[in-house]
Amino acid sequence: MTVTSFSLRRRMLLGSVVAIVVATILAGIGIDAISGLAIRALELSEIEDEMRLLLGSIEVNASNQLTIDEGPQDPRFELPNGGLYWQVGRGGNVELRSQSLWDQGLPWLQATAAKGGGKVNDLVGPNGSQLLAVERSIVISTASGDQTVNALIALDNAQLSPVKWRFFYAMAPSLAVLMAALLGAVIAFLRYGFRPLDKLSVELLSLRSRPARKISGRYPDEIQPLIDNLNALIASREAQLIEARSRAGDLAHGLKTPLAVLEATARSLADSGQATAANAIRDEVWRMDAQVKRTLAEARASLAAAQLSGRVDTHAVLSKLVSTMQKLSRDKDMTFGLEAPQGIVIAMDESDFTNIAGNLLDNARKWGNSQARVRLMAQTASPVIVLSIEDDGPGLPPDAEKSFIERGKRLDETVRGTGFGLAIAKDIIEAYGGELHIARSGLGGLGVEVHLPKRLVVTDAGDDDPAAEGRPSA
């Protein structure tokens, strides 16, 4: 199954962009339609003006013929197919027409016979053109009686298109500016609206990278219940860690007495000449005591890592440990080299860091022949801090290295005094999100590298503010 990127911000932005573009297009269509109606209304007003001039100039002479005293003056009436036409007649017949019609006639719109009555409609004109026509009728009194005279003026719709396009060209930039303004407003709104979620993301990250106990700050009403539940979950998890550590401590203390009794029994058996049984009991007591110590170390490291409490001056701790190991290995005339820059302070429990480095150094002291080397590296481009400890001893056979790296296998299950310190160190390192790697060292013996995440580095080692403890570098 393919996993695709899911971003609520992008989905909302994309939806808003589509909605704004569609709304702008629909608004343009609507405005274009409204502008067409407005232009049509203006042209009808122009036609009505020409109609009043035409109706005012119609007369019936003594020969009962229609005459025009002075017709509409628009030059388009004088041009053949000029786009503006008029005709006058009685009884459905055309008796007078503009020069633009030549000898053609337009169909009447069946105007009502009432005085001033009329009709507006579209009709087909010369050469199949579409015309907007207005027809009116007047009653003229003559010697033979009242006569109804119809007058029609028509405008070619093609005359309206340039006006509509000019309006569209004037309107389009305004719509584009409006659309850009709306898109900018949406982007600003999304940034403002998602600001609480961005803040929440930073707060959640801070729970992992510094000793924060809860998500702080006030959030919108829609998000605040989630924040309250998260804080309750964090508090519950911390309480469970404390309880687990307490139970591990109780278990360790509860086993001390039975282990002491077994140790005393082993001594009694040895004194009575049962050395084999005594040694067997001592071995099992040692295994149980080692497992208790490991469980306690792991529980303490898990709690400390969850809280990222404490500050460790790595150079000072490593210097002290190297000095101690140098004294303990006087009988072997073994030398220890230290390469650790000053000023690297990390957010760890000091006893945990001492446990890691101490166990690895003690292992190098036990198995090294004449020298061991300790290096701490914190390169800017690297995402981890590397603590490297090497010796010139026999190292581990390839099968032993593989079994140690595999999950759930420990060297201390087979050989007393071999690998138990590495196992404790490995548990503590993993509790802090780090890794332990073992291989052949450059000195010929065992090489152990501890990779700790760089987020544990405290940016300001000289800050005495407790709230700054465990604050990671960016």
Side-chain angles (χ1 to χ4, degrees):
M1 182 177 64
T2 303
V3 180
T4 57
S5 176
F6 181 89
S7 171
L8 182 60
R9 192 195 305 266
R10 291 180 181 176
R11 287 169 65 93
M12 293 185 67
L13 179 60
L14 178 61
S16 299
V17 169
V18 172
I20 289 173
V21 171
V22 172
T24 303
I25 293 174
L26 292 178
I29 294 174
I31 294 175
D32 183 66
I34 294 173
S35 67
L37 294 176
I39 293 172
R40 182 184 175 94
L42 288 175
E43 294 299 333
L44 284 174
S45 176
E46 180 184 352
I47 292 173
E48 291 288 355
D49 291 339
E50 299 290 348
M51 179 64 75
R52 282 192 290 270
L53 293 174
L54 179 62
L55 292 176
S57 63
I58 298 175
E59 295 181 355
V60 179
N61 60 19
S63 303
N64 198 32
Q65 294 178 331
L66 293 178
T67 62
I68 299 295
D69 182 21
E70 185 178 358
Q73 300 302 310
D74 193 300
R76 289 174 291 180
F77 288 121
E78 308 298 328
L79 298 174
N81 297 325
L84 193 58
Y85 314 97
W86 64 263
Q87 66 182 27
V88 177
R90 292 172 291 186
N93 297 316
V94 178
E95 300 181 36
L96 298 174
R97 61 177 63 86
S98 64
Q99 292 185 18
S100 56
L101 280 174
W102 285 83
D103 57 351
Q104 300 180 67
L106 299 175
W108 295 100
L109 304 181
Q110 299 179 351
T112 60
K115 183 178 180 179
K119 192 172 184 180
V120 178
N121 206 343
D122 292 311
L123 52 82
V124 179
N127 300 321
S129 58
Q130 297 295 318
L131 306 179
L132 172 62
V134 176
E135 183 179 330
R136 294 287 185 266
S137 63
I138 60 173
V139 177
I140 300 177
S141 297
T142 64
S144 60
D146 294 340
Q147 295 187 32
T148 299
V149 179
N150 296 326
L152 184 145
I153 296 180
L155 173 67
D156 192 340
N157 284 329
Q159 302 283 325
L160 306 180
S161 296
V163 180
K164 290 183 65 176
W165 279 111
R166 284 197 297 271
F167 182 83
F168 174 79
Y169 291 142
M171 175 190 67
S174 300
L175 286 177
V177 171
L178 176 61
M179 182 172 66
L182 289 174
L183 290 175
V186 166
I187 293 173
F189 168 76
L190 288 177
R191 287 183 177 177
Y192 176 77
F194 277 88
R195 190 174 299 169
L197 294 181
D198 295 336
K199 178 185 175 184
L200 175 59
S201 178
V202 173
E203 289 288 330
L204 288 174
L205 182 61
S206 73
L207 291 175
R208 296 183 55 198
S209 58
R210 64 181 174 87
R213 293 295 183 268
K214 66 176 182 178
I215 301 173
S216 60
R218 180 65 187 174
Y219 290 83
D221 294 340
E222 294 80 4
I223 303 178
Q224 191 60 44
L226 172 63
I227 304 302
D228 294 339
N229 289 332
L230 283 175
N231 282 332
L233 179 62
I234 293 168
S236 174
R237 180 173 178 268
E238 186 171 351
Q240 290 173 356
L241 286 172
I242 295 174
E243 183 180 359
R245 180 179 181 182
S246 176
R247 288 181 178 177
D250 292 342
L251 175 62
H253 288 296
L255 289 175
K256 278 186 178 181
T257 300
L259 289 176
V261 172
L262 288 174
E263 182 68 25
T265 302
R267 285 197 302 269
S268 299
L269 290 174
D271 293 339
S272 63
Q274 303 182 49
T276 303
N279 290 334
I281 293 176
R282 285 196 183 101
D283 287 342
E284 295 306 319
V285 168
W286 179 87
R287 292 178 189 276
M288 293 173 66
D289 183 61
Q291 189 60 49
V292 168
K293 290 179 180 178
R294 182 177 183 181
T295 302
L296 283 175
E298 184 177 0
R300 183 182 63 250
S302 297
L303 181 59
Q307 298 175 341
L308 284 184
S309 58
R311 298 171 62 163
V312 180
D313 184 343
T314 55
H315 180 81
V317 172
L318 290 175
S319 298
K320 187 183 300 183
L321 288 172
V322 166
S323 177
T324 301
M325 295 299 164
Q326 191 78 57
K327 294 176 182 178
L328 292 175
S329 58
R330 286 176 180 173
D331 57 333
K332 299 176 64 174
D333 193 23
M334 188 171 179
T335 59
F336 288 80
L338 174 62
E339 299 175 20
Q342 295 187 1
I344 299 180
V345 179
I346 59 176
M348 286 183 67
D349 185 88
E350 185 169 340
S351 63
D352 288 336
F353 185 79
T354 303
N355 242 327
I356 295 172
N359 276 308
L360 298 180
L361 272 168
D362 189 53
N363 188 75
R365 179 188 67 82
K366 290 178 180 178
W367 296 98
N369 294 321
S370 61
Q371 62 175 323
R373 184 168 56 200
V374 181
R375 289 186 297 177
L376 182 67
M377 296 166 285
Q379 299 176 357
T380 304
S382 175
V384 296
I385 313 164
V386 179
L387 173 63
S388 171
I389 299 177
E390 302 172 286
D391 63 61
D392 61 348
L396 292 177
D399 56 341
E401 293 178 8
K402 182 179 179 181
S403 67
F404 176 77
I405 294 173
E406 289 180 357
R407 182 176 179 83
K409 294 187 178 181
R410 300 187 298 274
L411 296 178
D412 61 305
E413 293 179 350
T414 57
V415 181
R416 179 172 181 174
T418 302
F420 179 71
L422 291 176
I424 291 181
K426 182 172 182 288
D427 291 338
I428 298 175
I429 291 165
E430 291 178 348
Y432 282 91
E435 296 178 351
L436 185 143
H437 303 275
I438 61 174
R440 180 70 61 177
S441 78
L443 300 178
L446 180 67
V448 181
E449 281 194 358
V450 177
H451 292 185
L452 293 173
K454 193 171 263 187
R455 64 183 176 84
L456 297 176
V457 176
V458 180
T459 56
D460 186 2
D463 192 354
D464 293 330
D465 182 3
E469 292 188 8
R471 186 166 54 227
S473 60

PDB file of all heavy atoms in Angstrom, residues 84 129 144 225 227 250 254 303 344 347:
ATOM      1  N   LEU A  84     -28.545  50.323 -38.041  1.00  0.00           N
ATOM      2  CA  LEU A  84     -29.652  51.007 -37.365  1.00  0.00           C
ATOM      3  C   LEU A  84     -30.711  51.304 -38.427  1.00  0.00           C
ATOM      4  O   LEU A  84     -30.416  51.920 -39.461  1.00  0.00           O
ATOM      5  CB  LEU A  84     -29.154  52.300 -36.717  1.00  0.00           C
ATOM      6  CG  LEU A  84     -30.093  52.973 -35.730  1.00  0.00           C
ATOM      7  CD1 LEU A  84     -30.454  52.026 -34.576  1.00  0.00           C
ATOM      8  CD2 LEU A  84     -29.459  54.249 -35.171  1.00  0.00           C
ATOM      9  N   SER A 129     -28.815  39.229 -39.950  1.00  0.00           N
ATOM     10  CA  SER A 129     -28.327  39.850 -38.715  1.00  0.00           C
ATOM     11  C   SER A 129     -29.400  39.799 -37.639  1.00  0.00           C
ATOM     12  O   SER A 129     -30.599  39.805 -37.925  1.00  0.00           O
ATOM     13  CB  SER A 129     -27.903  41.292 -38.972  1.00  0.00           C
ATOM     14  OG  SER A 129     -28.987  42.051 -39.493  1.00  0.00           O
ATOM     15  N   SER A 144     -60.470  62.042 -42.846  1.00  0.00           N
ATOM     16  CA  SER A 144     -61.265  60.828 -43.017  1.00  0.00           C
ATOM     17  C   SER A 144     -61.430  60.031 -41.737  1.00  0.00           C
ATOM     18  O   SER A 144     -62.021  58.963 -41.736  1.00  0.00           O
ATOM     19  CB  SER A 144     -60.641  59.953 -44.099  1.00  0.00           C
ATOM     20  OG  SER A 144     -59.313  59.603 -43.715  1.00  0.00           O
ATOM     21  N   PRO A 225      -9.493  21.104  24.635  1.00  0.00           N
ATOM     22  CA  PRO A 225      -9.778  19.765  25.200  1.00  0.00           C
ATOM     23  C   PRO A 225      -8.712  18.735  24.823  1.00  0.00           C
ATOM     24  O   PRO A 225      -8.347  17.889  25.650  1.00  0.00           O
ATOM     25  CB  PRO A 225     -11.141  19.408  24.591  1.00  0.00           C
ATOM     26  CG  PRO A 225     -11.786  20.723  24.311  1.00  0.00           C
ATOM     27  CD  PRO A 225     -10.661  21.626  23.897  1.00  0.00           C
ATOM     28  N   ILE A 227      -5.544  19.407  24.267  1.00  0.00           N
ATOM     29  CA  ILE A 227      -4.374  19.737  25.066  1.00  0.00           C
ATOM     30  C   ILE A 227      -4.534  19.196  26.485  1.00  0.00           C
ATOM     31  O   ILE A 227      -3.607  18.625  27.069  1.00  0.00           O
ATOM     32  CB  ILE A 227      -4.146  21.263  25.092  1.00  0.00           C
ATOM     33  CG1 ILE A 227      -4.031  21.810  23.666  1.00  0.00           C
ATOM     34  CG2 ILE A 227      -2.911  21.612  25.906  1.00  0.00           C
ATOM     35  CD1 ILE A 227      -2.940  21.192  22.863  1.00  0.00           C
ATOM     36  N   ASP A 250      11.691  -1.839  44.887  1.00  0.00           N
ATOM     37  CA  ASP A 250      11.149  -2.737  45.908  1.00  0.00           C
ATOM     38  C   ASP A 250      11.561  -4.183  45.646  1.00  0.00           C
ATOM     39  O   ASP A 250      11.889  -4.934  46.584  1.00  0.00           O
ATOM     40  CB  ASP A 250       9.625  -2.628  45.943  1.00  0.00           C
ATOM     41  CG  ASP A 250       9.163  -1.267  46.452  1.00  0.00           C
ATOM     42  OD1 ASP A 250       9.984  -0.563  47.087  1.00  0.00           O
ATOM     43  OD2 ASP A 250       7.995  -0.900  46.216  1.00  0.00           O
ATOM     44  N   GLY A 254      13.769  -6.394  47.977  1.00  0.00           N
ATOM     45  CA  GLY A 254      13.166  -7.630  48.468  1.00  0.00           C
ATOM     46  C   GLY A 254      14.028  -8.851  48.212  1.00  0.00           C
ATOM     47  O   GLY A 254      13.951  -9.850  48.943  1.00  0.00           O
ATOM     48  N   LEU A 303      13.336   6.308  33.282  1.00  0.00           N
ATOM     49  CA  LEU A 303      12.677   7.456  33.902  1.00  0.00           C
ATOM     50  C   LEU A 303      13.458   8.738  33.631  1.00  0.00           C
ATOM     51  O   LEU A 303      12.882   9.769  33.276  1.00  0.00           O
ATOM     52  CB  LEU A 303      12.541   7.231  35.412  1.00  0.00           C
ATOM     53  CG  LEU A 303      11.837   8.364  36.183  1.00  0.00           C
ATOM     54  CD1 LEU A 303      10.440   8.580  35.645  1.00  0.00           C
ATOM     55  CD2 LEU A 303      11.804   8.046  37.670  1.00  0.00           C
ATOM     56  N   ILE A 344      31.093  20.437  26.342  1.00  0.00           N
ATOM     57  CA  ILE A 344      29.950  19.653  25.846  1.00  0.00           C
ATOM     58  C   ILE A 344      29.139  19.181  27.048  1.00  0.00           C
ATOM     59  O   ILE A 344      29.583  18.316  27.813  1.00  0.00           O
ATOM     60  CB  ILE A 344      30.402  18.457  24.999  1.00  0.00           C
ATOM     61  CG1 ILE A 344      31.176  18.938  23.768  1.00  0.00           C
ATOM     62  CG2 ILE A 344      29.195  17.620  24.570  1.00  0.00           C
ATOM     63  CD1 ILE A 344      31.664  17.821  22.874  1.00  0.00           C
ATOM     64  N   ALA A 347      21.997  16.611  28.352  1.00  0.00           N
ATOM     65  CA  ALA A 347      20.862  16.460  29.271  1.00  0.00           C
ATOM     66  C   ALA A 347      20.664  14.983  29.587  1.00  0.00           C
ATOM     67  O   ALA A 347      19.885  14.292  28.932  1.00  0.00           O
ATOM     68  CB  ALA A 347      19.598  17.054  28.654  1.00  0.00           C
TER      69      ALA A 347
END
